[in-house]
Amino acid sequence: MKTLAMNLLLALVWVALTRQFNVANFALGFAIGFGTLWLAQRVLEPSLYFKKAVHVIAFALFFIFEVIKANIQISYIVINPRYQLRPGIVAIPLDARTDAEITLLANLITLTPGTLSIDVSADRKVLYIHVVELGEHPDQFRRKIKERLERRLLEVMR
């Protein structure tokens, strides 16, 4: 957390020195600060910040790709009038334990077109999801959520 604060401070210093107060310049300053801190970590105390940053970037790229795939699938369903939908509700056992982990997972699922988080069980161990196109294999969808989305999210959160 301390390294993140230093990186933000370096980005703000960059923005102040260049006198260009916009998002692109702040992002450039953040990237330069990140590189500087990464090079200086031998002098400073080692930090998990750089490993977490890689996880966050990888997760963001993964999620963007998943949203694009889901949009293509939903577009195909909408365009094809003869497509026979097989919607369903799936119970996903959760490895996520904290409120933040469960909430973020449920929201990411809802942001993906064709899926909607409905409810969490009272014991917070099961998430119920409505799927527009479940198909004949709900276990395949369950495995996709568990192994791809939840696992990657927990790598970022923990």
Side-chain angles (χ1 to χ4, degrees), residues 10-23:
L10 287 172
L12 291 173
V13 168
W14 173 264
V15 167
L17 289 174
T18 60
R19 295 185 181 153
Q20 294 179 10
F21 301 98
N22 57 50
V23 175

Side-chain angles (χ1 to χ4, degrees), residues 118-138:
I118 298 173
D119 197 11
V120 178
S121 65
D123 63 359
R124 299 175 6 169
K125 293 186 179 184
V126 179
L127 177 65
Y128 297 96
I129 303 170
H130 178 270
V131 186
V132 170
E133 179 50 46
L134 184 57
E136 297 176 12
H137 305 288

